[in-house]
Amino acid sequence: MPTTGHLCIAICLLVSSPAAATPLHSLVRKWSIKNGIDGLTRDERLDRVARLNSEALAEIEGEAPTGASTYLRFLLEREKINDAVVQGVVRRVGREDAEAALRLALDSRRRFEFTHFGVGASGDLLTLILVRRMARVTARAKGGRLRVCVRLRAGSRVQRPRILVTRPSGATFERAIRGRRGCTAVHARRKGRYQVEVMVEGRFGPEVAALFPAYVGVAPPRMPVHRLYPDRDCDRGHVEIKLMHLLNKSRSGTGLRALSPSSALASVARQHSQDMLLSGFFGHTSPTRGGLSRRLESSGLSYHHAAENLAVATRPEKAHESLMGSPGHRQTILDPRGTHVGVGVATDPSSGLLFITQIVAQMR
């Protein structure tokens, strides 16, 4: 009973109450030392992105617009920051409240094992960016080929890198890298946007180390495109239904049949999302319930093939956009063998983050 899995963390922005912000790099370092997090390193590029983001949002009164996360994503891409595990936190805080607000933001994200950070302020806006950097990845187009190179970060516990690329046509290329570093070339005769992803094996199963666009024969965008989403829906059932609707809409757009909702798969997915939230981990392999195969078999489900996507986001639209933007996750959503889908969501009450598990299966 083969299974595969992919996980993704979407860029999230959280906004709280009004007042003033200051750079707090030393506080972040002290927090990391106190919590036993080795090597949380300041990144000057992340500082620059955080400052530019704060400057842009400082011009807007009240809370940041729902399209603000798209702007932050644009800034990260422009600075060629291609790490997949990235979270941005934006807060309007007074000078006297800044330290407490920053500690709270850091505490709620401790589970993701971040390695780098950046802080930038403007007016009463403070932006904190946290990154888990597992690999150094570069992409260069030349002579009808896109050359992608990956080097796993020294000291990281991830291994077995795989490079996946979605071409402008929608087709996906995949190749494994032997060892901890290597390169591969992808045919890139067609001009356009190529989506590059690096998958690795981590402590909790497969995860995304890098995810970014590469532009071949065309210029990258000079300005961001904002997608404004409706107010957040925190009702778990509504979010799960929305995610299934978005998944089947993407399948129908490529000529694939819609997947039938499975309450049994949804129950397995919901349990895993809740397990990640309560047990403080993010990955496909639960310390108590095991991987996807074990979880499905424990539920008495019979299937030919199953695959799992994971995401953390503030909205179902943002989660689906991130999943479809990842070649590995996209393969799972558009798997022609799939017959049924189960989606399970758990909401973190302290941060509002949605922990999402999506299981696509070919049932017997």
Side-chain angles (χ1 to χ4, degrees):
M1 295 183 184
T3 60
T4 60
H6 302 289
L7 62 84
C8 162
I9 294 187
I11 297 175
C12 305
L13 286 109
L14 304 177
V15 181
S16 63
S17 55
T22 58
L24 296 168
H25 298 96
S26 60
L27 187 146
V28 177
R29 288 200 184 95
K30 289 177 183 176
W31 174 88
S32 66
I33 293 170
K34 180 181 177 181
N35 287 275
I37 301 173
D38 298 328
L40 187 59
T41 305
R42 177 184 176 183
D43 186 308
E44 291 185 0
R45 291 186 303 158
L46 291 176
D47 278 347
R48 184 159 54 251
V49 169
R51 176 177 52 78
L52 291 171
N53 188 68
S54 292
E55 287 174 353
L57 297 184
E59 301 298 320
I60 303 170
E61 293 184 1
E63 293 193 350
T66 53
S69 60
T70 307
Y71 183 69
L72 180 57
R73 187 193 303 271
F74 165 77
L75 291 175
L76 290 166
E77 289 182 0
R78 192 174 70 180
E79 289 292 325
K80 300 190 183 305
I81 297 169
N82 55 33
D83 310 282
V85 183
V86 181
Q87 286 202 7
V89 183
V90 179
R91 296 193 183 277
R92 296 187 186 272
V93 291
R95 190 176 298 273
E96 65 282 359
D97 300 325
E99 292 190 8
L102 191 53
R103 285 195 186 95
L104 180 62
L106 290 164
D107 286 341
S108 68
R109 288 154 180 80
R110 186 164 44 198
R111 77 184 73 211
F112 296 122
E113 301 180 351
F114 293 110
T115 61
H116 294 75
F117 77 95
V119 180
S122 179
D124 64 350
L125 256 295
L126 174 68
T127 299
L128 166 68
I129 302 175
L130 296 164
V131 167
R132 183 181 175 201
R133 187 158 296 158
M134 294 171 270
R136 179 185 176 188
V137 183
T138 59
R140 182 183 178 188
K142 186 177 181 181
R145 288 179 175 268
L146 178 65
R147 182 176 173 81
V148 182
C149 296
V150 57
R151 175 188 295 179
L152 298 186
R153 189 173 66 87
S156 68
R157 289 176 285 188
V158 300
Q159 56 183 332
R160 295 198 293 276
R162 289 183 292 131
I163 296 172
L164 299 92
V165 179
T166 298
R167 296 183 173 94
S169 64
T172 300
F173 166 93
E174 178 177 350
R175 181 165 295 170
I177 297 295
R178 293 184 179 181
R180 297 182 62 83
R181 59 185 293 182
C183 300
T184 191
V186 183
H187 288 296
R189 296 188 181 92
R190 181 172 177 177
K191 296 180 179 180
R193 184 181 190 270
Y194 290 70
Q195 188 75 349
V196 180
E197 178 177 57
V198 174
M199 298 286 299
V200 295
E201 287 293 325
R203 284 195 302 158
F204 301 113
E207 56 184 303
V208 185
L211 181 64
F212 60 98
Y215 297 93
V216 177
V218 296
R222 297 181 60 187
M223 295 293 290
V225 177
H226 291 272
R227 298 185 180 184
L228 301 180
Y229 297 131
D231 292 338
R232 183 190 308 170
D233 185 352
C234 293
D235 180 88
R236 184 185 69 186
H238 291 169
V239 172
E240 290 173 353
I241 291 171
K242 183 67 175 179
L243 285 164
M244 282 193 290
H245 169 74
L246 291 169
L247 178 148
N248 277 326
K249 184 178 179 181
S250 292
R251 286 179 65 88
S252 66
T254 59
L256 293 171
R257 63 181 175 181
L259 299 178
S260 300
S262 165
S263 58
L265 288 176
S267 177
V268 175
R270 201 172 293 127
Q271 286 177 4
H272 190 63
S273 292
Q274 193 71 13
D275 189 15
M276 289 191 294
L277 175 60
L278 297 180
S279 301
F281 77 98
F282 185 73
H284 295 280
T285 306
S286 166
T288 55
R289 292 188 171 92
L292 179 58
S293 296
R294 180 179 160 189
R295 288 184 272 119
L296 291 174
E297 290 165 7
S298 297
S299 299
L301 290 171
S302 181
Y303 61 96
H304 293 290
H305 173 82
E308 181 177 71
N309 284 340
L310 304 180
V312 175
T314 54
R315 294 178 178 82
E317 294 88 350
K318 181 56 63 178
H320 183 73
E321 180 184 347
S322 297
L323 292 170
M324 286 299 290
S326 153
H329 297 81
R330 180 188 177 95
Q331 279 184 320
T332 297
I333 290 172
L334 302 182
D335 189 342
R337 296 169 294 179
T339 59
H340 291 76
V341 63
V343 178
V345 173
T347 304
D348 184 348
S350 64
S351 65
L353 291 175
L354 301 172
F355 283 71
I356 297 163
T357 302
Q358 183 184 77
I359 302 174
V360 174
Q362 181 185 22
M363 305 301 290
R364 287 182 174 173

